Amino acid sequence: MIEISGLTKRTKKKEILRDINIKMDGIYGLIGPNGAGKTTLMKIISGLTSMSSGRISINGEDYTKGKYLKQNKHTAYLPQDFMIYPKVTVNEALDHIALLKGILDKNVREQKVYNSLKEVNLLEHKGKKMSQLSGGLRKRVGIAQLLLDEPSILLFDEPTAGLDIEERIRFRNLLKHLGDNHVIVISSHIIEDIEFLATRIGILKEGKLLFEGTPEKLKQAAEQKIWTAQIPLEELSKFILDQDVISLTEEGKNVNVRVYSSTSINSSSYEIATPRLLDGYLSVIREHKI
Protein backbone atom coordinates (compact mmCIF):
# COMPACT_ATOMS: atom_id res chain seq x y z
CA MET A 1 0.00 0.00 0.00
CA ILE A 2 1.03 3.59 -0.70
CA GLU A 3 -0.20 6.20 1.76
CA ILE A 4 0.16 9.86 0.78
CA SER A 5 -0.42 12.60 3.36
CA GLY A 6 -0.55 16.35 2.73
CA LEU A 7 1.41 16.19 -0.52
CA THR A 8 1.87 19.54 -2.22
CA LYS A 9 3.98 20.49 -5.25
CA ARG A 10 4.67 24.14 -6.10
CA THR A 11 6.78 25.90 -8.69
CA LYS A 12 7.49 29.61 -8.95
CA LYS A 13 4.58 30.02 -11.33
CA LYS A 14 1.87 27.70 -10.01
CA GLU A 15 0.70 25.09 -7.53
CA ILE A 16 0.73 21.77 -9.37
CA LEU A 17 -0.59 19.56 -6.53
CA ARG A 18 -2.56 20.72 -3.49
CA ASP A 19 -2.71 18.85 -0.21
CA ILE A 20 -3.16 15.35 -1.68
CA ASN A 21 -4.25 12.62 0.75
CA ILE A 22 -4.67 9.13 -0.77
CA LYS A 23 -4.32 5.48 0.20
CA MET A 24 -3.50 3.36 -2.85
CA ASP A 25 -3.91 -0.41 -2.89
CA GLY A 26 -5.33 -3.08 -5.21
CA ILE A 27 -5.45 -1.63 -8.71
CA TYR A 28 -5.74 2.11 -8.29
CA GLY A 29 -6.88 4.32 -11.18
CA LEU A 30 -5.78 7.95 -11.22
CA ILE A 31 -7.78 9.97 -13.75
CA GLY A 32 -8.35 13.59 -14.67
CA PRO A 33 -8.04 16.15 -17.49
CA ASN A 34 -4.74 16.96 -19.15
CA GLY A 35 -2.65 19.13 -16.85
CA ALA A 36 -4.38 17.85 -13.71
CA GLY A 37 -1.07 16.78 -12.10
CA LYS A 38 -1.34 13.01 -12.63
CA THR A 39 2.13 12.52 -14.14
CA THR A 40 3.73 14.80 -11.55
CA LEU A 41 2.18 12.74 -8.76
CA MET A 42 3.41 9.50 -10.33
CA LYS A 43 6.93 10.89 -10.64
CA ILE A 44 6.92 12.01 -7.00
CA ILE A 45 5.82 8.54 -5.87
CA SER A 46 8.58 6.98 -7.97
CA GLY A 47 11.22 9.36 -6.58
CA LEU A 48 11.92 11.07 -9.92
CA THR A 49 10.86 14.56 -8.88
CA SER A 50 10.51 16.49 -5.65
CA MET A 51 7.52 17.54 -3.58
CA SER A 52 7.19 20.83 -1.73
CA SER A 53 5.69 19.20 1.36
CA GLY A 54 4.01 16.00 2.49
CA ARG A 55 4.77 12.41 3.49
CA ILE A 56 4.70 9.14 1.58
CA SER A 57 4.61 5.74 3.29
CA ILE A 58 4.99 2.39 1.53
CA ASN A 59 3.71 -0.76 3.21
CA GLY A 60 3.54 1.15 6.50
CA GLU A 61 7.08 2.60 6.39
CA ASP A 62 7.74 6.32 5.84
CA TYR A 63 10.06 6.70 2.84
CA THR A 64 10.07 10.51 2.75
CA LYS A 65 13.55 12.02 2.80
CA GLY A 66 13.38 15.78 2.66
CA LYS A 67 11.54 16.67 -0.52
CA TYR A 68 12.10 13.32 -2.23
CA LEU A 69 10.96 9.75 -1.81
CA LYS A 70 13.91 7.57 -0.78
CA GLN A 71 15.06 5.00 -3.31
CA ASN A 72 13.49 1.63 -2.63
CA LYS A 73 12.82 -1.66 -4.36
CA HIS A 74 9.13 -1.68 -3.49
CA THR A 75 8.07 0.60 -6.36
CA ALA A 76 8.81 0.55 -10.10
CA TYR A 77 7.65 3.13 -12.62
CA LEU A 78 6.94 2.81 -16.36
CA PRO A 79 6.56 6.17 -18.15
CA GLN A 80 4.23 6.70 -21.09
CA ASP A 81 6.95 6.44 -23.74
CA PHE A 82 9.33 3.48 -23.47
CA MET A 83 12.04 2.53 -25.96
CA ILE A 84 15.52 1.21 -25.17
CA TYR A 85 18.38 -0.13 -27.26
CA PRO A 86 16.48 -0.42 -30.57
CA LYS A 87 19.25 -2.44 -32.30
CA VAL A 88 19.54 -5.24 -29.72
CA THR A 89 17.23 -8.15 -28.96
CA VAL A 90 14.70 -8.17 -26.15
CA ASN A 91 16.76 -10.72 -24.23
CA GLU A 92 19.97 -8.72 -24.64
CA ALA A 93 18.28 -5.49 -23.56
CA LEU A 94 16.90 -7.06 -20.39
CA ASP A 95 20.19 -8.76 -19.60
CA HIS A 96 21.98 -5.41 -19.85
CA ILE A 97 19.39 -3.68 -17.66
CA ALA A 98 19.71 -6.46 -15.08
CA LEU A 99 23.47 -5.91 -15.07
CA LEU A 100 22.97 -2.16 -14.55
CA LYS A 101 20.67 -2.99 -11.64
CA GLY A 102 23.56 -4.80 -9.96
CA ILE A 103 22.60 -8.38 -10.74
CA LEU A 104 26.16 -9.54 -11.45
CA ASP A 105 25.82 -13.32 -11.25
CA LYS A 106 25.17 -14.51 -14.81
CA ASN A 107 23.02 -17.49 -13.79
CA VAL A 108 20.90 -15.38 -11.46
CA ARG A 109 20.57 -12.74 -14.18
CA GLU A 110 19.46 -15.27 -16.79
CA GLN A 111 16.85 -16.69 -14.42
CA LYS A 112 15.45 -13.25 -13.57
CA VAL A 113 15.26 -12.27 -17.23
CA TYR A 114 13.52 -15.56 -18.05
CA ASN A 115 11.03 -15.13 -15.18
CA SER A 116 10.25 -11.55 -16.21
CA LEU A 117 9.71 -12.49 -19.86
CA LYS A 118 7.47 -15.37 -18.85
CA GLU A 119 5.39 -13.17 -16.54
CA VAL A 120 4.58 -10.75 -19.38
CA ASN A 121 4.21 -13.51 -22.02
CA LEU A 122 7.20 -12.41 -24.11
CA LEU A 123 9.33 -15.57 -24.29
CA GLU A 124 8.49 -16.17 -27.96
CA HIS A 125 9.69 -12.63 -28.80
CA LYS A 126 12.95 -12.63 -26.82
CA GLY A 127 15.09 -12.97 -29.98
CA LYS A 128 13.51 -10.00 -31.77
CA LYS A 129 15.16 -6.61 -31.88
CA MET A 130 13.44 -3.89 -29.89
CA SER A 131 12.84 -1.87 -33.08
CA GLN A 132 10.84 -4.79 -34.53
CA LEU A 133 8.27 -4.79 -31.72
CA SER A 134 4.84 -3.21 -31.79
CA GLY A 135 3.96 -0.52 -29.26
CA GLY A 136 2.16 -3.04 -27.06
CA LEU A 137 5.10 -5.47 -27.04
CA ARG A 138 7.55 -2.65 -26.22
CA LYS A 139 5.41 -1.78 -23.23
CA ARG A 140 5.58 -5.43 -22.17
CA VAL A 141 9.38 -5.22 -22.29
CA GLY A 142 9.05 -2.13 -20.12
CA ILE A 143 7.11 -4.12 -17.55
CA ALA A 144 9.60 -7.01 -17.79
CA GLN A 145 12.49 -4.73 -16.87
CA LEU A 146 10.50 -3.44 -13.90
CA LEU A 147 9.95 -6.99 -12.67
CA LEU A 148 13.70 -7.72 -12.54
CA ASP A 149 13.77 -6.03 -9.12
CA GLU A 150 10.69 -7.99 -7.98
CA PRO A 151 8.82 -4.85 -6.80
CA SER A 152 5.51 -5.08 -4.97
CA ILE A 153 4.11 -1.85 -6.48
CA LEU A 154 3.96 -1.04 -10.20
CA LEU A 155 3.29 2.50 -11.44
CA PHE A 156 2.04 3.06 -15.01
CA ASP A 157 1.60 6.43 -16.72
CA GLU A 158 -0.94 6.24 -19.58
CA PRO A 159 -0.14 2.54 -20.17
CA THR A 160 -2.42 2.03 -23.20
CA ALA A 161 -1.82 5.37 -24.93
CA GLY A 162 -0.93 4.89 -28.58
CA LEU A 163 -2.05 1.27 -28.73
CA ASP A 164 -4.62 -0.02 -31.19
CA ILE A 165 -7.83 -1.61 -29.89
CA GLU A 166 -6.56 -5.22 -29.87
CA GLU A 167 -3.24 -4.27 -28.22
CA ARG A 168 -5.10 -2.22 -25.63
CA ILE A 169 -7.31 -5.19 -24.73
CA ARG A 170 -4.32 -7.54 -24.44
CA PHE A 171 -2.40 -5.03 -22.35
CA ARG A 172 -5.34 -4.45 -20.02
CA ASN A 173 -5.61 -8.20 -19.49
CA LEU A 174 -1.90 -8.33 -18.62
CA LEU A 175 -2.29 -5.53 -16.06
CA LYS A 176 -5.28 -7.34 -14.55
CA HIS A 177 -3.13 -10.47 -14.24
CA LEU A 178 -0.26 -8.54 -12.62
CA GLY A 179 -2.74 -7.10 -10.14
CA ASP A 180 -3.07 -10.53 -8.55
CA ASN A 181 0.41 -10.17 -7.02
CA HIS A 182 1.15 -6.44 -7.10
CA VAL A 183 -0.35 -3.14 -6.09
CA ILE A 184 -0.82 -1.31 -9.40
CA VAL A 185 -1.31 2.44 -9.86
CA ILE A 186 -2.48 3.55 -13.30
CA SER A 187 -2.58 7.16 -14.44
CA SER A 188 -4.88 7.44 -17.46
CA HIS A 189 -7.42 9.59 -19.25
CA ILE A 190 -9.02 6.53 -20.89
CA ILE A 191 -12.08 5.77 -18.77
CA GLU A 192 -12.62 2.33 -20.37
CA ASP A 193 -9.24 1.17 -19.06
CA ILE A 194 -10.01 2.39 -15.56
CA GLU A 195 -13.47 0.82 -15.61
CA PHE A 196 -12.00 -2.55 -16.60
CA LEU A 197 -9.09 -2.50 -14.14
CA ALA A 198 -9.50 -0.29 -11.10
CA THR A 199 -10.72 -1.35 -7.68
CA ARG A 200 -10.38 2.24 -6.40
CA ILE A 201 -10.28 5.56 -8.24
CA GLY A 202 -8.92 9.04 -7.59
CA ILE A 203 -9.87 12.06 -9.71
CA LEU A 204 -7.49 15.01 -10.03
CA LYS A 205 -8.34 18.40 -11.49
CA GLU A 206 -5.93 21.34 -11.47
CA GLY A 207 -3.85 19.62 -8.80
CA LYS A 208 -6.71 19.00 -6.37
CA LEU A 209 -8.16 15.60 -5.45
CA LEU A 210 -11.89 15.88 -6.17
CA PHE A 211 -12.91 12.27 -5.59
CA GLU A 212 -11.51 9.10 -4.02
CA GLY A 213 -13.37 5.83 -3.73
CA THR A 214 -14.68 2.72 -5.47
CA PRO A 215 -15.98 2.61 -9.07
CA GLU A 216 -19.48 2.04 -7.69
CA LYS A 217 -19.22 5.16 -5.54
CA LEU A 218 -18.11 7.17 -8.57
CA LYS A 219 -21.11 5.99 -10.57
CA GLN A 220 -23.37 7.16 -7.75
CA ALA A 221 -22.08 10.72 -8.26
CA ALA A 222 -24.15 10.85 -11.46
CA GLU A 223 -27.41 9.46 -10.08
CA GLN A 224 -30.48 11.37 -11.33
CA LYS A 225 -28.28 13.27 -13.81
CA ILE A 226 -28.28 10.93 -16.83
CA TRP A 227 -31.29 10.75 -19.12
CA THR A 228 -32.06 8.72 -22.22
CA ALA A 229 -34.28 9.49 -25.17
CA GLN A 230 -34.94 8.14 -28.65
CA ILE A 231 -35.04 10.66 -31.48
CA PRO A 232 -35.34 10.43 -35.28
CA LEU A 233 -31.96 10.35 -37.02
CA GLU A 234 -32.74 13.47 -39.06
CA GLU A 235 -33.20 15.49 -35.84
CA LEU A 236 -29.85 14.50 -34.33
CA SER A 237 -27.79 17.49 -35.53
CA LYS A 238 -30.16 20.03 -33.97
CA PHE A 239 -30.62 17.90 -30.85
CA ILE A 240 -26.86 17.85 -30.19
CA LEU A 241 -26.77 21.64 -30.35
CA ASP A 242 -29.57 21.96 -27.79
CA GLN A 243 -28.67 19.16 -25.33
CA ASP A 244 -25.56 17.91 -23.52
CA VAL A 245 -25.27 14.56 -25.33
CA ILE A 246 -22.57 12.28 -23.89
CA SER A 247 -23.17 9.20 -26.04
CA LEU A 248 -25.44 7.92 -28.79
CA THR A 249 -26.34 4.66 -30.53
CA GLU A 250 -28.04 4.42 -33.91
CA GLU A 251 -30.99 2.03 -34.12
CA GLY A 252 -32.51 1.92 -37.57
CA LYS A 253 -33.98 5.32 -38.37
CA ASN A 254 -33.72 6.44 -34.74
CA VAL A 255 -30.91 7.30 -32.35
CA ASN A 256 -30.76 6.41 -28.66
CA VAL A 257 -29.05 9.30 -26.86
CA ARG A 258 -27.71 9.71 -23.33
CA VAL A 259 -28.00 13.26 -22.03
CA TYR A 260 -26.31 14.83 -19.02
CA SER A 261 -28.36 17.28 -16.94
CA SER A 262 -27.76 18.21 -13.31
CA THR A 263 -31.39 19.36 -13.08
CA SER A 264 -34.53 17.33 -13.75
CA ILE A 265 -35.83 17.21 -17.32
CA ASN A 266 -39.60 17.70 -17.39
CA SER A 267 -40.45 15.77 -20.52
CA SER A 268 -42.15 12.46 -21.14
CA SER A 269 -39.66 11.83 -23.97
CA TYR A 270 -36.85 11.23 -21.47
CA GLU A 271 -36.21 8.45 -18.98
CA ILE A 272 -33.75 8.49 -16.08
CA ALA A 273 -30.78 6.18 -16.79
CA THR A 274 -28.48 4.04 -14.66
CA PRO A 275 -25.14 5.89 -14.42
CA ARG A 276 -21.92 4.51 -15.89
CA LEU A 277 -18.38 5.25 -14.75
CA LEU A 278 -17.93 7.92 -17.43
CA ASP A 279 -21.10 9.63 -16.19
CA GLY A 280 -19.77 9.75 -12.65
CA TYR A 281 -16.45 11.15 -13.86
CA LEU A 282 -18.18 13.90 -15.85
CA SER A 283 -20.37 14.77 -12.87
CA VAL A 284 -17.37 15.16 -10.55
CA ILE A 285 -15.31 17.15 -13.05
CA ARG A 286 -18.13 19.47 -14.06
CA GLU A 287 -19.68 20.18 -10.70
CA HIS A 288 -16.66 20.57 -8.43
CA LYS A 289 -15.32 24.09 -8.47
CA ILE A 290 -11.61 24.57 -7.77
Side-chain angles (χ1 to χ4, degrees):
M1 175 187 287
I2 302 173
E3 187 170 357
I4 300 170
S5 304
L7 191 152
T8 297
K9 171 74 173 181
R10 302 184 190 90
T11 65
K12 291 182 179 180
K13 294 184 178 181
K14 65 181 295 188
E15 193 172 44
I16 300 173
L17 294 169
R18 314 182 199 178
D19 192 27
I20 303 297
N21 297 279
I22 308 178
K23 291 182 180 180
M24 297 173 164
D25 57 6
I27 300 181
Y28 194 97
L30 191 64
I31 55 179
N34 290 334
K38 302 187 300 295
T39 296
T40 299
L41 180 55
M42 297 287 274
K43 287 183 175 180
I44 290 173
I45 296 171
S46 60
L48 295 177
T49 192
S50 65
M51 66 188 96
S52 299
S53 60
R55 314 294 298 179
I56 299 177
S57 297
I58 299 173
N59 299 331
E61 182 178 350
D62 189 347
Y63 275 83
T64 313
K65 185 179 181 181
K67 294 184 178 181
Y68 283 87
L69 191 74
K70 290 187 291 186
Q71 287 189 343
N72 65 87
K73 289 194 174 184
H74 295 295
T75 59
Y77 172 63
L78 185 67
Q80 180 174 343
D81 298 313
F82 179 80
M83 169 56 92
I84 53 169
Y85 315 134
K87 295 183 179 181
V88 304
T89 67
V90 170
N91 201 75
E92 290 167 340
L94 290 176
D95 182 72
H96 183 65
I97 292 173
L99 192 60
L100 294 177
K101 289 176 178 285
I103 306 172
L104 303 181
D105 186 292
K106 183 179 179 181
N107 292 329
V108 173
R109 202 163 63 245
E110 287 180 352
Q111 187 62 50
K112 283 183 174 287
V113 168
Y114 175 85
N115 291 343
S116 295
L117 288 171
K118 183 179 180 181
E119 183 72 1
V120 298
N121 197 25
L122 269 181
L123 285 173
E124 64 182 284
H125 300 284
K126 67 179 183 179
K128 293 182 180 178
K129 291 184 178 180
M130 288 293 299
S131 59
Q132 296 176 311
L133 302 181
S134 67
L137 292 179
R138 284 202 305 273
K139 286 179 182 283
R140 286 176 183 256
V141 177
I143 297 177
Q145 61 92 19
L146 299 183
L147 297 177
L148 292 170
D149 281 330
E150 300 180 22
S152 60
I153 300 169
L154 301 175
L155 310 172
F156 297 101
D157 191 9
E158 300 287 354
T160 64
L163 302 185
D164 63 35
I165 293 174
E166 288 191 359
E167 282 190 322
R168 180 182 295 171
I169 291 171
R170 286 194 292 267
F171 201 76
R172 283 196 314 219
N173 289 336
L174 172 60
L175 294 182
K176 195 75 169 179
H177 164 69
L178 291 171
D180 292 339
N181 298 306
H182 301 82
V183 171
I184 293 181
V185 182
I186 300 168
S187 167
S188 180
H189 68 281
I190 301 174
I191 301 298
E192 293 90 343
D193 292 347
I194 299 301
E195 188 163 24
F196 181 82
L197 292 166
T199 54
R200 291 189 70 81
I201 296 170
I203 298 179
L204 282 177
K205 181 181 179 182
E206 296 179 24
K208 186 175 178 62
L209 186 68
L210 301 185
F211 171 90
E212 208 278 332
T214 64
E216 193 58 39
K217 182 180 176 183
L218 180 54
K219 292 176 186 178
Q220 291 171 4
E223 284 186 350
Q224 305 297 313
K225 299 174 186 176
I226 307 300
W227 305 78
T228 60
Q230 189 175 82
I231 61 170
L233 186 58
E234 63 268 18
E235 297 179 11
L236 179 60
S237 294
K238 183 178 184 304
F239 187 87
I240 288 176
L241 293 176
D242 296 335
Q243 300 294 337
D244 188 1
V245 177
I246 56 177
S247 67
L248 53 86
T249 306
E250 289 190 27
E251 192 175 282
K253 296 182 179 181
N254 295 319
V255 182
N256 293 319
V257 294
R258 289 171 63 85
V259 174
Y260 180 92
S261 177
S262 58
T263 58
S264 295
I265 298 178
N266 296 318
S267 171
S268 59
S269 301
Y270 291 85
E271 293 182 0
I272 197 74
T274 301
R276 302 170 183 171
L277 199 71
L278 174 61
D279 305 326
Y281 170 76
L282 289 174
S283 178
V284 170
I285 289 294
R286 291 177 177 184
E287 297 184 22
H288 282 71
K289 304 299 181 181
I290 302 298

